[in-house]
Amino acid sequence: MKPGEVITFVKQQNAKVVDLKFLDFFGIWQHFSVPVKKLSEESFESGYGFDGSSIRGWQPIHASDMLVIPDPTTAIMDPFMETPTLSLICDIVDPITKERYTRDPRSIASKAENYLKYSGIGETAYFGPEAEFFVFDDIRFDCGPNSAFYFLDSVEGQWNTGRDEKPNLGYKPRYKEGYFPVSPTDTLQEIRTEMVLILESLGIEVEAQHHEVATAGQGEIDMKYAPLVRMGDRLMWFKYVVKNVAKRHRMTATFMPKPLFGDNGSGMHTHVSIWKDGRNLFAGDRYANLSNEALWAIGGILKHTPALCALCNPTTNSYKRLVPGYEAPVNLAYSSRNRSAAVRIPMYSPSPSARRLEFRTPDPSCNGYIAFSAILMAALDGIENRINPGEPLDKDIYSLSPEEMADVPTAPGSLEEALKALEKDRDFLLKGDVFTPDVIDTWISWKKKNEIDPVRMRPHPLEFSLYFDC
């Protein structure tokens, strides 16, 4: 929609409130609302002021004034508000220079799309994330100087087979056996369907939904691919819908990568392709029907994966999932069909338009705008420099001998290790001013101070079992 069309839409929908949504630095939607009378065509240029110093990782207190500028193309009615509420996703602008704010994730994604066009390599990068999540019945946690605990529960949890549920009806997915069971084992079919129908009502096309591998309510809903910025917007709506539908049912949803010990974590396998002049650049006659450009893109992604992990797996919890020998693809190799490789080439369809890469390392705790932008920049660096990805690995990686495994590099084992890789390997992100040095430095310093150090300095409950009697 254009600004004038949004004003007409507001009247047609009898909207009473305008909700202005934007993203903090690390991926959480923020918002504030204004009465509908405060929205005019001029609002899409003049914007609305707010305090940027109160947003994580943003402005200092002495330079806190910022503007949100609504994007009229994102206008939609919020599906969860009782009062008719128009939702607008906003960009962040400096009120003095009128330039887009460099730490605004949506701005970074826009610059990545612009750099793709500037490079001459392509016109559009399509992304299709598969964001997995858990829906629990209960979650409690607390951290103090002398105590810490977490407790989560699900009627589906295999650990509840012996609980007196008056009556306990069984049908609880066994650990690592939650993939595709029907009802009554799958208790969340109707809830996921509700999520799907709301997403579709928002114009977000869904390809499939199903229970995932873990016990205790792990699920997946797959959206159809879309261009980078648009998919960033859709991923935010996706998380919003999943969490709010769960809340409707007095349940709670989380995209935390590894909430359960001993069972599968939640990944976000991300499908990528680059198009130019209506043609998929990744389709060709090389390995797995890929083009040279696709293979070079794989080379770029694999080369830069240690740095990418700092942005695509940005939490300390992410590395509870990225553990060698388990379900996560930590081995930096590529293959057709083989899901134990970090980059897989899906072979569902012979159509050239379907040829794409699937980067399997990311998880859904990431900021989609930033993660997709970084993946695109790594792929473009691979194409620009014709980075050879090496030979494909079409064996079961986990059955290789130690000698064979020694030749397969792996992803970082901790957030600290990933941030160190990002410190050393950042030049590919700085091209076209997509990421600025300030953005990367701020990301690294915030993560160290606010996440790595507090987790590292806090005693872990298991340490008491291991060491209290030492």
Side-chain angles (χ1 to χ4, degrees), residues 35-51:
V36 72
K37 65 184 178 182
K38 295 291 185 181
L39 182 71
S40 66
E41 290 191 46
E42 290 72 29
S43 303
F44 294 94
E45 293 186 10
S46 59
Y48 301 84
F50 74 103
D51 177 7

Side-chain angles (χ1 to χ4, degrees), residues 47-66:
Y48 301 84
F50 74 103
D51 177 7
S53 68
S54 297
I55 306 300
R56 294 186 303 168
W58 277 16
Q59 291 294 89
I61 192 69
H62 64 273
S64 59
D65 288 353
M66 302 292 286

Side-chain angles (χ1 to χ4, degrees), residues 108-119 121 125 127 228 272 274 296-297 299-301 304 308 311 369-385 387 425-436:
I108 292 170
S110 294
K111 288 191 290 183
E113 287 190 321
N114 290 336
Y115 181 75
L116 170 62
K117 296 172 185 175
Y118 171 80
S119 72
I121 292 172
F127 285 82
L228 196 160
V272 188
I274 296 175
W296 295 330
I301 290 172
H304 296 299
L308 289 176
L311 303 170
Y369 299 97
I370 286 179
F372 302 153
S373 298
I375 294 168
L376 175 60
M377 296 304 289
L380 291 176
D381 186 62
I383 296 171
E384 290 168 340
N385 293 290
I387 297 175
D425 181 21
R426 60 168 68 186
D427 288 349
F428 73 101
L429 296 170
L430 301 177
K431 294 177 181 178
D433 201 38
V434 173
F435 290 80
T436 65

Side-chain angles (χ1 to χ4, degrees), residues 19 41 57 75 124 143 145 171 191 215 222 296 307 337 339 349 354 364 390 407:
D19 197 50
E41 290 191 46
T124 306
C143 296
Y171 295 109
I191 291 177
T215 189
D222 298 333
W296 295 330
R337 305 180 69 180
R339 295 171 186 268
S349 171
D407 296 327

Side-chain angles (χ1 to χ4, degrees), residues 22-129:
F22 60 97
L23 209 67
D24 77 1
F25 197 34
F26 303 103
I28 303 297
W29 243 356
Q30 313 293 307
H31 79 133
F32 63 93
S33 301
V34 298
V36 72
K37 65 184 178 182
K38 295 291 185 181
L39 182 71
S40 66
E41 290 191 46
E42 290 72 29
S43 303
F44 294 94
E45 293 186 10
S46 59
Y48 301 84
F50 74 103
D51 177 7
S53 68
S54 297
I55 306 300
R56 294 186 303 168
W58 277 16
Q59 291 294 89
I61 192 69
H62 64 273
S64 59
D65 288 353
M66 302 292 286
L67 290 175
V68 294
I69 306 294
D71 181 346
T73 67
T74 66
I76 200 164
M77 297 301 292
D78 190 301
F80 295 102
M81 299 297 109
E82 285 188 25
T83 302
T85 300
L86 177 76
S87 174
L88 289 165
I89 299 177
C90 302
D91 298 311
I92 309 302
V93 171
D94 185 287
I96 298 174
T97 65
K98 304 299 182 183
E99 293 180 354
R100 293 185 67 171
Y101 186 40
T102 57
R103 296 186 194 176
D104 174 18
R106 203 165 186 263
S107 173
I108 292 170
S110 294
K111 288 191 290 183
E113 287 190 321
N114 290 336
Y115 181 75
L116 170 62
K117 296 172 185 175
Y118 171 80
S119 72
I121 292 172
E123 295 166 348
T124 306
Y126 288 106
F127 285 82

Side-chain angles (χ1 to χ4, degrees), residues 9 32-33 51 135 144 160 163 167 172 209 223 228 261-262 299 302-303 313 333 343 353 361 376 422 431 439 463:
F9 179 70
F32 63 93
S33 301
D51 177 7
V135 177
N160 282 325
R163 182 171 69 176
K172 303 180 189 300
Q209 64 96 339
M223 297 177 284
L228 196 160
F261 170 70
L302 293 178
K303 174 184 176 180
N313 305 88
V343 176
S353 64
T361 304
L376 175 60
L422 180 60
K431 294 177 181 178
V439 164
E463 291 178 313

